[in-house]
């Protein structure tokens, strides 16, 4: 039994798919896990607390302010008790409340109060699901680290056909199982070196050339590699975010400094990931004094920076498995594949940065991973969640 001994709160909000929750709880109980059910007031219009009590074998909780229940087990204790809180069905209303941190009933309060993993199984009319407000809220939940399971496609209770059906109980049980399975650490004993953030190429003592990289994607990769058991070196350009605990952080400014640090660490690494947005060019001469305004035009002479990742990938001794990123605004696949080949990489993460809200300096991202003989598309999600998927994909390719 994959879920044996696990503790799951099933939170039911008010949608027609709530009728599937009796089956969901029974299937979870088949796996010998403990299940407690929490219902919103509107959920009770779709399935009765008595039904849920019968299938879960536990009293159903629905109120924050119920003195008799508080005397038994403080409701908020559910937040600490649970290994997983699954909101199924998750209506557009509860998704919006969760995205803004509203806690006006027991279920939404538990969601804010829990250290456990929170997952939602969205279910609503296809038009409501496609609405920009719902999509915006889902992105927020994903970047807050919540898991979004579904929805499925098909005929809906209202007669519409489209995306918005709650996943079937057996599919949700599968998701619970993989979310709660003991974490494996495929990178235990491995060393991973990652570049992140922008580089700054000085023009004079007060000016520089740079870009909008925030470091979030690269720092997410560092956190993910650490989580999967690796010793992590993070070579970071200037960013405003904090590094994850327990990693070896080197601060650099320019591409040349980043290259020196990368080559120092690469040969003792099993994996090298170049996520930094490295300036391709730097000033031919850095002025010693602040450059003064001169006329209507000014010409800067730039020289090419070293290609850090190409140098790492060309190492002949102790070469790490080398992964690049390609931030592109057009012909994404073609340019990414060109870089995979020309830089002699093992894998490249193609990043379409033409879409608002993705890529540089955003919380979310979407990537296509290319190897020489395979590709995988990773849809939009929070950068931390995406980073974990990327690092797992890399780990799966090591001997
Ligand atoms: O930092 P965030 O705000 O989270 O944004 C993340 C990101 C958009 C910066 C990241 O996901 C990303 O796509 N990084 C690569 C950015 C880029 O501009 O790549 P590129 O196409 O210029 O370079 C291709 C590859 O060569 C990259 O792995 C890059 O690190 C590397 N490179 C490039 C130039 C150079 N001189 N040396 C290099 O090593």
């Amino acid at each position: 039994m994959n879920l044996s001994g696990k503790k799951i709160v099933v939170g039911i909000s008010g949608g027609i798919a709530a009728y599937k929750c009796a089956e969901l709880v029974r299937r979870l109980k088949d796996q010998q896990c403990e299940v407690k059910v929490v219902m919103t007031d509107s959920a009770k219009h779709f399935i009765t607390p008595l039904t849920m009590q019968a299938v879960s074998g536990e009293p159903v909780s629905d109120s924050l302010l119920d003195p008799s229940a508080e005397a038994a087990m403080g409701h908020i204790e559910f937040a600490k008790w649970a290994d997983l809180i699954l909101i199924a069905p998750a209506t557009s209303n509860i998704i919006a409340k969760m995205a803004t941190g509203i806690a006006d009933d027991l279920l939404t309060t538990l969601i804010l109060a829990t250290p456990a993993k929170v997952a939602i199984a969205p279910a609503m009319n296809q038009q409501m699901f496609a609405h920009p407000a719902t999509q915006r809220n889902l992105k927020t939940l994903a970047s807050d680290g919540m898991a979004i399971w579904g929805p499925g496609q098909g005929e809906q209770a209202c007669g519409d056909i489209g995306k918005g059906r709650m996943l079937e109980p057996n599919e949700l049980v599968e998701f619970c199982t993989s979310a709660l399975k003991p974490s494996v650490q495929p990178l235990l004993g491995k060393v991973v070196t990652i570049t992140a953030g922008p580089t700054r190429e000085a023009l004079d003592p007060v000016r520089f050339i740079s870009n909008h990289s925030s470091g979030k994607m690269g720092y997410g990769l560092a956190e993910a590699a650490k989580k999967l058991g690796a010793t992590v070196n993070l070579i970071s350009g200037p960013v405003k975010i904090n590094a994850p605990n327990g990693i070896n952080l080197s601060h650099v400014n320019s591409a040349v400094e980043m290259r020196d640090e990368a080559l120092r660490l690469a040969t003792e690494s099993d994996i090298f990931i170049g996520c930094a947005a490295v300036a391709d060019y730097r000033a031919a001469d850095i002025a010693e004094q602040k450059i003064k305004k001169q006329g209507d035009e000014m010409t800067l002479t730039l020289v090419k920076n070293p290609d850090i990742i190409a140098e790492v990938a060309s190492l002949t001794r102790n070469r790490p498995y080398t992964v690049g990123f390609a931030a592109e605004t057009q012909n994404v696949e073609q340019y990414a594949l060109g870089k995979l080949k020309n830089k002699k990489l093992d894998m490249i993460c193609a990043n379409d940065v033409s879409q608002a809200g993705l890529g540089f300096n955003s919380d979310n991202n979407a990537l296509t991973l290319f190897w020489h003989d395979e590709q995988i598309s990773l849809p939009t999600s929070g950068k931390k969640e995406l980073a974990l998927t990327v690092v797992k994909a890399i780990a799966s390719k090591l001997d």
Side-chain angles (χ1 to χ4, degrees):
M1 295 297 164
N2 292 330
L3 290 171
S4 178
K6 297 293 180 196
K7 297 173 178 144
I8 300 180
V9 169
V10 174
I12 309 178
S13 68
I16 181 64
Y19 81 89
K20 294 184 186 174
C21 288
E23 179 69 8
L24 170 64
V25 169
R26 288 192 59 179
R27 296 288 77 90
L28 287 171
K29 298 280 291 180
D30 287 348
Q31 298 286 319
Q32 293 181 355
C33 59
E34 290 181 61
V35 180
K36 291 190 192 295
V37 175
V38 175
M39 299 177 77
T40 64
D41 281 341
S42 43
K44 290 184 259 175
H45 294 292
F46 296 94
I47 189 162
T48 68
L50 196 59
T51 305
M52 296 314 302
Q53 177 171 327
V55 289
S56 67
E58 298 268 352
V60 168
S61 305
D62 55 8
S63 169
L64 254 181
L65 309 167
D66 173 356
S68 60
E70 285 299 315
M73 179 186 190
H75 273 151
I76 209 72
E77 290 297 313
F78 285 11
K80 293 192 191 126
W81 173 87
D83 295 310
L84 171 73
I85 297 185
L86 168 59
I87 320 298
T91 59
S92 57
N93 184 52
I94 199 163
I95 289 170
K97 284 203 225 171
M98 289 168 72
T100 46
I102 291 173
D104 62 354
D105 59 12
L106 177 60
L107 185 53
T108 46
T109 303
L110 290 181
I111 292 162
L112 286 191
T114 191
K117 183 154 189 81
V118 177
I120 63 165
M124 67 198 76
N125 165 269
Q126 50 87 23
Q127 200 71 44
M128 293 171 78
F129 180 71
H131 195 283
T134 306
Q135 290 302 312
R136 199 166 51 238
N137 291 332
L138 286 168
K139 279 184 188 165
T140 302
L141 297 190
S143 69
D144 287 348
M146 295 187 196
I148 298 165
W149 297 341
Q153 184 97 15
E155 192 175 349
Q156 303 199 283
C158 56
D160 279 11
I161 293 176
K163 203 167 177 188
R165 285 172 62 89
M166 187 171 97
L167 294 184
E168 295 304 321
N170 58 344
E171 294 175 294
L172 291 174
V173 172
E174 287 282 315
F175 274 109
C176 291
T177 306
S178 74
L180 292 176
K181 73 175 172 237
S183 65
V184 276
Q185 294 204 302
L187 293 180
L188 208 58
K190 303 284 183 199
V191 178
V192 180
T193 297
I194 298 165
T195 66
T199 62
R200 276 185 188 172
E201 310 302 328
L203 299 176
D204 70 12
V206 296
R207 302 186 181 94
F208 55 83
I209 300 171
S210 192
N211 58 66
H212 294 293
S213 170
S214 63
K216 288 178 196 168
M217 191 71 233
Y219 279 51
L221 293 165
E223 191 174 325
K226 171 86 193 141
K227 195 169 176 177
L228 297 185
T231 299
V232 182
N233 303 313
L234 178 61
I235 307 170
S236 175
V239 296
K240 295 198 174 83
I241 55 175
N242 294 324
N245 287 331
I247 56 138
N248 309 315
L249 178 65
S250 315
H251 289 290
V252 296
N253 274 304
S254 66
V256 170
E257 286 171 16
M258 187 173 274
R259 188 261 246 123
D260 291 348
E261 193 62 357
L263 290 181
R264 184 178 77 78
L265 294 166
T267 50
E268 55 194 57
S269 305
D270 299 283
I271 299 169
F272 183 92
I273 310 176
C275 185
V278 183
D280 288 322
Y281 294 89
R282 66 182 187 279
D285 296 301
I286 303 172
E288 277 181 28
Q289 304 300 332
K290 184 181 167 198
I291 300 169
K292 303 305 288 178
K293 205 184 293 174
Q294 308 154 350
D296 291 339
E297 288 185 1
M298 180 180 176
T299 303
L300 285 174
T301 304
L302 302 178
V303 294
K304 211 166 178 187
N305 266 328
D307 191 322
I308 302 167
I309 203 153
E311 288 190 28
V312 170
S314 300
L315 286 168
T316 47
R317 290 187 60 227
N318 298 330
R319 176 192 181 277
Y321 188 89
T322 309
V323 178
F325 271 68
E328 307 293 349
T329 55
Q330 57 175 339
N331 304 330
V332 180
E333 177 169 346
Q334 182 195 339
Y335 290 152
L337 287 174
K339 286 175 184 172
L340 176 70
K341 187 162 172 262
N342 298 334
K343 293 179 188 244
K344 301 187 172 60
L345 308 177
D346 297 298
M347 171 186 159
I348 196 153
C349 309
N351 200 164
D352 182 348
V353 292
S354 66
Q355 298 179 51
L358 300 183
F360 285 87
N361 198 19
S362 62
D363 290 329
N364 298 318
N365 209 359
L367 297 168
T368 307
L369 313 185
F370 289 100
W371 290 265
H372 293 278
D373 55 357
E374 193 187 338
Q375 72 180 71
I376 305 177
S377 287
L378 305 179
T380 302
S381 66
K383 281 183 175 168
K384 286 187 180 192
E385 197 183 341
L386 194 62
L388 190 58
T389 311
V390 171
V391 178
K392 281 182 181 167
I394 296 169
S396 73
K397 299 291 173 186
L398 298 191
D399 298 332

